[in-house]
Amino acid sequence: MVYRVSREHFESLAEEALETLPERYRKYFENITIIVEDQPDSEETRRLKSKRELILGVYSGVPYPDKKGFFNIPYPLPDKIILFQKNIEDLCSSEKDLIEQIQKTLIHEVGHYFGLSERELRKYE
């Protein structure tokens, strides 16, 4: 059974999930935005070579290890993590499941932010 919540509630759960990340990682989060969308668009699906309903989140930006400011000026463009609400909800049957799946998806995308590949991330899942 699918567990659905409002966009506002989902966003607040995502914010809470972000706060559960250890401080040693959160301190590197500068100029990054968390966005919630229903599902990935066809361009995203094509780029990731995956079925639309299987994509739970996407990291877009320059991974932290590759950021090099010019004269100590931080990288100017914001990175973003997109969480796909309907796809995540489709895997959940309760709010507890939803919170856990948001955390898991967020941690996966944060791994990309820190420069880890899909293969490397699978080792930790």
Side-chain angles (χ1 to χ4, degrees):
M1 183 174 211
V2 174
Y3 186 78
R4 300 268 185 231
V5 297
S6 69
R7 176 61 54 91
E8 294 78 22
H9 188 58
F10 189 93
E11 288 173 349
S12 71
L13 292 175
E15 286 177 30
E16 289 175 28
L18 187 59
E19 292 299 317
T20 67
L21 294 175
E23 176 59 31
R24 67 178 185 255
Y25 300 117
R26 274 197 331 246
K27 70 181 180 182
Y28 295 105
F29 272 49
E30 296 175 2
N31 207 20
I32 190 165
T33 302
I34 308 287
I35 298 170
V36 176
E37 294 182 1
D38 284 340
Q39 292 181 307
D41 60 25
S42 57
E43 179 182 321
E44 208 75 71
T45 304
R46 211 173 17 260
R47 184 176 66 82
L48 296 172
K49 298 177 185 160
S50 185
K51 292 182 179 178
R52 180 181 196 186
E53 62 275 3
L54 297 178
I55 303 171
L56 305 179
V58 174
Y59 166 74
S60 176
V62 177
Y64 185 81
D66 297 337
K67 291 183 190 281
K68 294 176 178 59
F70 187 68
F71 295 119
N72 293 325
I73 298 172
Y75 192 78
L77 300 175
D79 294 312
K80 64 182 173 180
I81 292 174
I82 303 172
L83 299 175
F84 297 110
Q85 181 175 348
K86 288 187 179 196
N87 291 359
I88 292 172
E89 289 172 337
D90 286 347
L91 300 174
C92 303
S93 59
S94 68
E95 181 151 311
K96 181 180 182 284
D97 289 347
L98 184 59
I99 291 167
E100 288 173 2
Q101 189 59 57
I102 290 170
Q103 288 173 327
K104 184 177 176 181
T105 303
L106 192 55
I107 288 169
H108 182 93
E109 299 311 324
V110 167
H112 288 308
Y113 172 74
F114 285 110
L116 298 175
S117 69
E118 285 294 329
R119 177 180 279 168
E120 292 168 317
L121 285 167
R122 283 192 188 103
K123 291 179 193 175
Y124 300 106
E125 291 180 352

